Each structure stands twice: as structure tokens, then as C-alpha cells.
PDB file of all heavy atoms in Angstrom:
ATOM      1  N   SER A   1     -28.154  36.432  -3.197  1.00  0.00           N
ATOM      2  CA  SER A   1     -27.113  36.062  -2.303  1.00  0.00           C
ATOM      3  C   SER A   1     -25.995  37.098  -2.306  1.00  0.00           C
ATOM      4  O   SER A   1     -25.747  37.720  -3.423  1.00  0.00           O
ATOM      5  CB  SER A   1     -26.436  34.735  -2.722  1.00  0.00           C
ATOM      6  OG  SER A   1     -25.210  34.458  -2.068  1.00  0.00           O
ATOM      7  N   ASN A   2     -25.437  37.425  -1.189  1.00  0.00           N
ATOM      8  CA  ASN A   2     -24.314  38.322  -1.024  1.00  0.00           C
ATOM      9  C   ASN A   2     -22.982  37.531  -1.110  1.00  0.00           C
ATOM     10  O   ASN A   2     -21.898  38.146  -1.112  1.00  0.00           O
ATOM     11  CB  ASN A   2     -24.356  39.070   0.233  1.00  0.00           C
ATOM     12  CG  ASN A   2     -25.627  39.971   0.336  1.00  0.00           C
ATOM     13  OD1 ASN A   2     -25.890  40.587  -0.678  1.00  0.00           O
ATOM     14  ND2 ASN A   2     -26.296  40.067   1.458  1.00  0.00           N
ATOM     15  N   LYS A   3     -23.021  36.228  -1.240  1.00  0.00           N
ATOM     16  CA  LYS A   3     -21.831  35.482  -1.314  1.00  0.00           C
ATOM     17  C   LYS A   3     -21.150  35.582  -2.666  1.00  0.00           C
ATOM     18  O   LYS A   3     -21.843  35.890  -3.712  1.00  0.00           O
ATOM     19  CB  LYS A   3     -22.023  34.042  -1.075  1.00  0.00           C
ATOM     20  CG  LYS A   3     -22.497  33.695   0.385  1.00  0.00           C
ATOM     21  CD  LYS A   3     -22.576  32.191   0.644  1.00  0.00           C
ATOM     22  CE  LYS A   3     -22.843  31.884   2.043  1.00  0.00           C
ATOM     23  NZ  LYS A   3     -22.850  30.443   2.361  1.00  0.00           N
ATOM     24  N   ARG A   4     -19.769  35.473  -2.672  1.00  0.00           N
ATOM     25  CA  ARG A   4     -19.051  35.546  -3.891  1.00  0.00           C
ATOM     26  C   ARG A   4     -19.532  34.473  -4.892  1.00  0.00           C
ATOM     27  O   ARG A   4     -19.596  33.233  -4.453  1.00  0.00           O
ATOM     28  CB  ARG A   4     -17.584  35.383  -3.554  1.00  0.00           C
ATOM     29  CG  ARG A   4     -16.726  35.513  -4.897  1.00  0.00           C
ATOM     30  CD  ARG A   4     -15.278  35.361  -4.473  1.00  0.00           C
ATOM     31  NE  ARG A   4     -14.468  35.423  -5.682  1.00  0.00           N
ATOM     32  CZ  ARG A   4     -13.139  35.253  -5.734  1.00  0.00           C
ATOM     33  NH1 ARG A   4     -12.498  34.933  -4.503  1.00  0.00           N
ATOM     34  NH2 ARG A   4     -12.387  35.264  -6.819  1.00  0.00           N
ATOM     35  N   ASN A   5     -19.874  34.716  -6.082  1.00  0.00           N
ATOM     36  CA  ASN A   5     -20.277  33.846  -7.116  1.00  0.00           C
ATOM     37  C   ASN A   5     -19.072  33.386  -7.882  1.00  0.00           C
ATOM     38  O   ASN A   5     -18.568  34.038  -8.760  1.00  0.00           O
ATOM     39  CB  ASN A   5     -21.281  34.524  -8.083  1.00  0.00           C
ATOM     40  CG  ASN A   5     -22.106  33.521  -8.839  1.00  0.00           C
ATOM     41  OD1 ASN A   5     -21.558  32.977  -9.842  1.00  0.00           O
ATOM     42  ND2 ASN A   5     -23.298  33.285  -8.453  1.00  0.00           N
ATOM     43  N   SER A   6     -18.475  32.134  -7.526  1.00  0.00           N
ATOM     44  CA  SER A   6     -17.178  31.742  -8.065  1.00  0.00           C
ATOM     45  C   SER A   6     -17.499  30.768  -9.295  1.00  0.00           C
ATOM     46  O   SER A   6     -18.410  30.035  -9.361  1.00  0.00           O
ATOM     47  CB  SER A   6     -16.472  31.032  -6.963  1.00  0.00           C
ATOM     48  OG  SER A   6     -17.149  29.943  -6.480  1.00  0.00           O
ATOM     49  N   LEU A   7     -16.448  30.817 -10.148  1.00  0.00           N
ATOM     50  CA  LEU A   7     -16.485  29.933 -11.346  1.00  0.00           C
ATOM     51  C   LEU A   7     -15.737  28.696 -11.008  1.00  0.00           C
ATOM     52  O   LEU A   7     -14.636  28.719 -10.445  1.00  0.00           O
ATOM     53  CB  LEU A   7     -15.821  30.638 -12.518  1.00  0.00           C
ATOM     54  CG  LEU A   7     -16.706  31.673 -13.279  1.00  0.00           C
ATOM     55  CD1 LEU A   7     -15.709  32.401 -14.231  1.00  0.00           C
ATOM     56  CD2 LEU A   7     -17.873  31.206 -13.933  1.00  0.00           C
ATOM     57  N   HIS A   8     -16.274  27.528 -11.441  1.00  0.00           N
ATOM     58  CA  HIS A   8     -15.693  26.228 -11.392  1.00  0.00           C
ATOM     59  C   HIS A   8     -15.216  25.861 -12.738  1.00  0.00           C
ATOM     60  O   HIS A   8     -15.728  26.438 -13.737  1.00  0.00           O
ATOM     61  CB  HIS A   8     -16.593  25.222 -10.755  1.00  0.00           C
ATOM     62  CG  HIS A   8     -16.855  25.408  -9.311  1.00  0.00           C
ATOM     63  ND1 HIS A   8     -17.198  24.380  -8.497  1.00  0.00           N
ATOM     64  CD2 HIS A   8     -16.836  26.542  -8.587  1.00  0.00           C
ATOM     65  CE1 HIS A   8     -17.446  24.932  -7.180  1.00  0.00           C
ATOM     66  NE2 HIS A   8     -17.226  26.203  -7.252  1.00  0.00           N
ATOM     67  N   LEU A   9     -14.418  24.826 -12.922  1.00  0.00           N
ATOM     68  CA  LEU A   9     -13.985  24.401 -14.229  1.00  0.00           C
ATOM     69  C   LEU A   9     -15.155  24.020 -15.072  1.00  0.00           C
ATOM     70  O   LEU A   9     -15.280  24.277 -16.300  1.00  0.00           O
ATOM     71  CB  LEU A   9     -13.070  23.150 -14.171  1.00  0.00           C
ATOM     72  CG  LEU A   9     -11.570  23.567 -13.647  1.00  0.00           C
ATOM     73  CD1 LEU A   9     -10.883  22.118 -13.478  1.00  0.00           C
ATOM     74  CD2 LEU A   9     -10.932  24.291 -14.666  1.00  0.00           C
ATOM     75  N   GLY A  10     -16.216  23.421 -14.519  1.00  0.00           N
ATOM     76  CA  GLY A  10     -17.390  23.040 -15.255  1.00  0.00           C
ATOM     77  C   GLY A  10     -18.139  24.248 -15.715  1.00  0.00           C
ATOM     78  O   GLY A  10     -18.774  24.219 -16.765  1.00  0.00           O
ATOM     79  N   ASP A  11     -18.085  25.331 -14.988  1.00  0.00           N
ATOM     80  CA  ASP A  11     -18.773  26.542 -15.425  1.00  0.00           C
ATOM     81  C   ASP A  11     -18.054  27.025 -16.617  1.00  0.00           C
ATOM     82  O   ASP A  11     -18.758  27.581 -17.533  1.00  0.00           O
ATOM     83  CB  ASP A  11     -18.735  27.620 -14.253  1.00  0.00           C
ATOM     84  CG  ASP A  11     -19.470  27.083 -12.995  1.00  0.00           C
ATOM     85  OD1 ASP A  11     -20.364  26.316 -13.125  1.00  0.00           O
ATOM     86  OD2 ASP A  11     -19.004  27.494 -11.907  1.00  0.00           O
ATOM     87  N   VAL A  12     -16.747  27.109 -16.517  1.00  0.00           N
ATOM     88  CA  VAL A  12     -16.054  27.618 -17.674  1.00  0.00           C
ATOM     89  C   VAL A  12     -16.183  26.786 -19.023  1.00  0.00           C
ATOM     90  O   VAL A  12     -16.430  27.353 -20.065  1.00  0.00           O
ATOM     91  CB  VAL A  12     -14.539  27.653 -17.298  1.00  0.00           C
ATOM     92  CG1 VAL A  12     -13.707  28.208 -18.526  1.00  0.00           C
ATOM     93  CG2 VAL A  12     -14.263  28.533 -16.143  1.00  0.00           C
ATOM     94  N   ALA A  13     -16.257  25.519 -18.798  1.00  0.00           N
ATOM     95  CA  ALA A  13     -16.575  24.615 -19.965  1.00  0.00           C
ATOM     96  C   ALA A  13     -17.952  24.860 -20.480  1.00  0.00           C
ATOM     97  O   ALA A  13     -18.115  24.930 -21.779  1.00  0.00           O
ATOM     98  CB  ALA A  13     -16.408  23.141 -19.622  1.00  0.00           C
ATOM     99  N   LYS A  14     -18.875  25.058 -19.671  1.00  0.00           N
ATOM    100  CA  LYS A  14     -20.226  25.377 -20.089  1.00  0.00           C
ATOM    101  C   LYS A  14     -20.283  26.750 -20.851  1.00  0.00           C
ATOM    102  O   LYS A  14     -21.013  26.812 -21.940  1.00  0.00           O
ATOM    103  CB  LYS A  14     -21.125  25.410 -18.916  1.00  0.00           C
ATOM    104  CG  LYS A  14     -22.607  25.724 -19.225  1.00  0.00           C
ATOM    105  CD  LYS A  14     -23.445  25.688 -17.885  1.00  0.00           C
ATOM    106  CE  LYS A  14     -24.878  26.007 -18.124  1.00  0.00           C
ATOM    107  NZ  LYS A  14     -25.634  26.074 -16.915  1.00  0.00           N
ATOM    108  N   MET A  15     -19.562  27.722 -20.441  1.00  0.00           N
ATOM    109  CA  MET A  15     -19.519  29.066 -21.147  1.00  0.00           C
ATOM    110  C   MET A  15     -19.020  28.938 -22.517  1.00  0.00           C
ATOM    111  O   MET A  15     -19.342  29.645 -23.391  1.00  0.00           O
ATOM    112  CB  MET A  15     -18.884  30.007 -20.238  1.00  0.00           C
ATOM    113  CG  MET A  15     -19.440  30.371 -18.929  1.00  0.00           C
ATOM    114  SD  MET A  15     -18.391  31.276 -17.866  1.00  0.00           S
ATOM    115  CE  MET A  15     -18.227  32.861 -18.791  1.00  0.00           C
ATOM    116  N   GLY A  16     -18.118  27.953 -22.782  1.00  0.00           N
ATOM    117  CA  GLY A  16     -17.506  27.828 -23.987  1.00  0.00           C
ATOM    118  C   GLY A  16     -18.303  26.985 -25.026  1.00  0.00           C
ATOM    119  O   GLY A  16     -17.998  26.931 -26.236  1.00  0.00           O
ATOM    120  N   ARG A  17     -19.413  26.405 -24.573  1.00  0.00           N
ATOM    121  CA  ARG A  17     -20.212  25.545 -25.557  1.00  0.00           C
ATOM    122  C   ARG A  17     -21.307  26.374 -26.100  1.00  0.00           C
ATOM    123  O   ARG A  17     -21.742  27.450 -25.566  1.00  0.00           O
ATOM    124  CB  ARG A  17     -20.761  24.318 -24.754  1.00  0.00           C
ATOM    125  CG  ARG A  17     -19.718  23.388 -24.262  1.00  0.00           C
ATOM    126  CD  ARG A  17     -20.398  22.079 -23.811  1.00  0.00           C
ATOM    127  NE  ARG A  17     -21.441  22.241 -22.790  1.00  0.00           N
ATOM    128  CZ  ARG A  17     -21.153  22.116 -21.540  1.00  0.00           C
ATOM    129  NH1 ARG A  17     -19.955  21.730 -21.106  1.00  0.00           N
ATOM    130  NH2 ARG A  17     -22.105  22.233 -20.569  1.00  0.00           N
ATOM    131  N   ALA A  18     -21.816  25.945 -27.212  1.00  0.00           N
ATOM    132  CA  ALA A  18     -23.033  26.461 -27.710  1.00  0.00           C
ATOM    133  C   ALA A  18     -24.171  26.244 -26.744  1.00  0.00           C
ATOM    134  O   ALA A  18     -24.213  25.279 -26.039  1.00  0.00           O
ATOM    135  CB  ALA A  18     -23.409  25.753 -29.066  1.00  0.00           C
ATOM    136  N   PRO A  19     -25.038  27.266 -26.645  1.00  0.00           N
ATOM    137  CA  PRO A  19     -26.133  27.213 -25.558  1.00  0.00           C
ATOM    138  C   PRO A  19     -27.074  26.084 -25.750  1.00  0.00           C
ATOM    139  O   PRO A  19     -27.746  25.969 -26.797  1.00  0.00           O
ATOM    140  CB  PRO A  19     -26.712  28.623 -25.682  1.00  0.00           C
ATOM    141  CG  PRO A  19     -26.555  28.985 -27.099  1.00  0.00           C
ATOM    142  CD  PRO A  19     -25.247  28.466 -27.505  1.00  0.00           C
ATOM    143  N   ALA A  20     -27.163  25.198 -24.745  1.00  0.00           N
ATOM    144  CA  ALA A  20     -28.237  24.235 -24.745  1.00  0.00           C
ATOM    145  C   ALA A  20     -29.124  24.530 -23.486  1.00  0.00           C
ATOM    146  O   ALA A  20     -28.701  24.399 -22.371  1.00  0.00           O
ATOM    147  CB  ALA A  20     -27.632  22.779 -24.562  1.00  0.00           C
ATOM    148  N   PHE A  21     -30.321  24.974 -23.738  1.00  0.00           N
ATOM    149  CA  PHE A  21     -31.239  25.454 -22.758  1.00  0.00           C
ATOM    150  C   PHE A  21     -32.599  25.082 -22.921  1.00  0.00           C
ATOM    151  O   PHE A  21     -32.953  24.678 -24.118  1.00  0.00           O
ATOM    152  CB  PHE A  21     -31.062  27.021 -22.473  1.00  0.00           C
ATOM    153  CG  PHE A  21     -31.453  27.815 -23.753  1.00  0.00           C
ATOM    154  CD1 PHE A  21     -32.787  28.178 -24.051  1.00  0.00           C
ATOM    155  CD2 PHE A  21     -30.512  28.197 -24.744  1.00  0.00           C
ATOM    156  CE1 PHE A  21     -33.132  28.896 -25.167  1.00  0.00           C
ATOM    157  CE2 PHE A  21     -30.879  28.937 -25.854  1.00  0.00           C
ATOM    158  CZ  PHE A  21     -32.155  29.227 -26.068  1.00  0.00           C
ATOM    159  N   GLY A  22     -33.497  25.175 -22.012  1.00  0.00           N
ATOM    160  CA  GLY A  22     -34.883  24.907 -22.129  1.00  0.00           C
ATOM    161  C   GLY A  22     -35.639  26.193 -21.727  1.00  0.00           C
ATOM    162  O   GLY A  22     -35.142  27.158 -21.295  1.00  0.00           O
ATOM    163  N   THR A  23     -36.999  26.154 -22.136  1.00  0.00           N
ATOM    164  CA  THR A  23     -37.838  27.281 -21.753  1.00  0.00           C
ATOM    165  C   THR A  23     -39.251  26.726 -21.353  1.00  0.00           C
ATOM    166  O   THR A  23     -39.581  25.601 -21.634  1.00  0.00           O
ATOM    167  CB  THR A  23     -38.052  28.146 -22.956  1.00  0.00           C
ATOM    168  OG1 THR A  23     -38.778  27.400 -24.060  1.00  0.00           O
ATOM    169  CG2 THR A  23     -36.838  28.788 -23.512  1.00  0.00           C
ATOM    170  N   MET A  24     -39.914  27.539 -20.596  1.00  0.00           N
ATOM    171  CA  MET A  24     -41.223  27.250 -20.195  1.00  0.00           C
ATOM    172  C   MET A  24     -42.034  28.605 -20.670  1.00  0.00           C
ATOM    173  O   MET A  24     -41.614  29.696 -20.340  1.00  0.00           O
ATOM    174  CB  MET A  24     -41.397  27.189 -18.723  1.00  0.00           C
ATOM    175  CG  MET A  24     -42.826  26.916 -18.196  1.00  0.00           C
ATOM    176  SD  MET A  24     -42.957  26.862 -16.345  1.00  0.00           S
ATOM    177  CE  MET A  24     -42.243  25.290 -16.113  1.00  0.00           C
ATOM    178  N   VAL A  25     -43.070  28.322 -21.470  1.00  0.00           N
ATOM    179  CA  VAL A  25     -43.727  29.502 -21.997  1.00  0.00           C
ATOM    180  C   VAL A  25     -45.150  29.621 -21.372  1.00  0.00           C
ATOM    181  O   VAL A  25     -45.823  28.639 -21.163  1.00  0.00           O
ATOM    182  CB  VAL A  25     -43.757  29.384 -23.579  1.00  0.00           C
ATOM    183  CG1 VAL A  25     -44.540  28.149 -24.019  1.00  0.00           C
ATOM    184  CG2 VAL A  25     -44.320  30.584 -24.196  1.00  0.00           C
ATOM    185  N   LYS A  26     -45.504  30.882 -21.173  1.00  0.00           N
ATOM    186  CA  LYS A  26     -46.802  31.230 -20.517  1.00  0.00           C
ATOM    187  C   LYS A  26     -47.716  31.971 -21.558  1.00  0.00           C
ATOM    188  O   LYS A  26     -47.680  33.208 -21.465  1.00  0.00           O
ATOM    189  CB  LYS A  26     -46.567  32.040 -19.328  1.00  0.00           C
ATOM    190  CG  LYS A  26     -45.516  31.505 -18.362  1.00  0.00           C
ATOM    191  CD  LYS A  26     -46.184  30.538 -17.344  1.00  0.00           C
ATOM    192  CE  LYS A  26     -45.160  30.228 -16.182  1.00  0.00           C
ATOM    193  NZ  LYS A  26     -45.813  29.420 -15.240  1.00  0.00           N
TER     194      LYS A  26
END
């Protein structure tokens, strides 16, 4: 996308937390 990628409050909160993520392995 060429659109501006903006931060919302939820995004900022997410950045401050320990990473909770998933993976798919091949």
C-alpha cells in the first residue's frame, strides 16, 4: 500500500507488551 500507515492507541499498547505471536512452520 502507498497509503500512510498510521498508529492507533491499540497499536501503541501492543508495541509496549511482550510479544504474543504465532507461527506456521513448513
Side-chain angles (χ1 to χ4, degrees):
S1 169
N2 294 320
K3 292 191 177 182
R4 183 181 176 186
N5 195 280
S6 56
L7 285 174
H8 292 205
L9 286 176
D11 303 329
V12 176
K14 182 178 178 182
M15 291 169 67
R17 295 195 298 265
F21 60 88
T23 63
M24 177 184 288
V25 60
K26 310 271 189 176

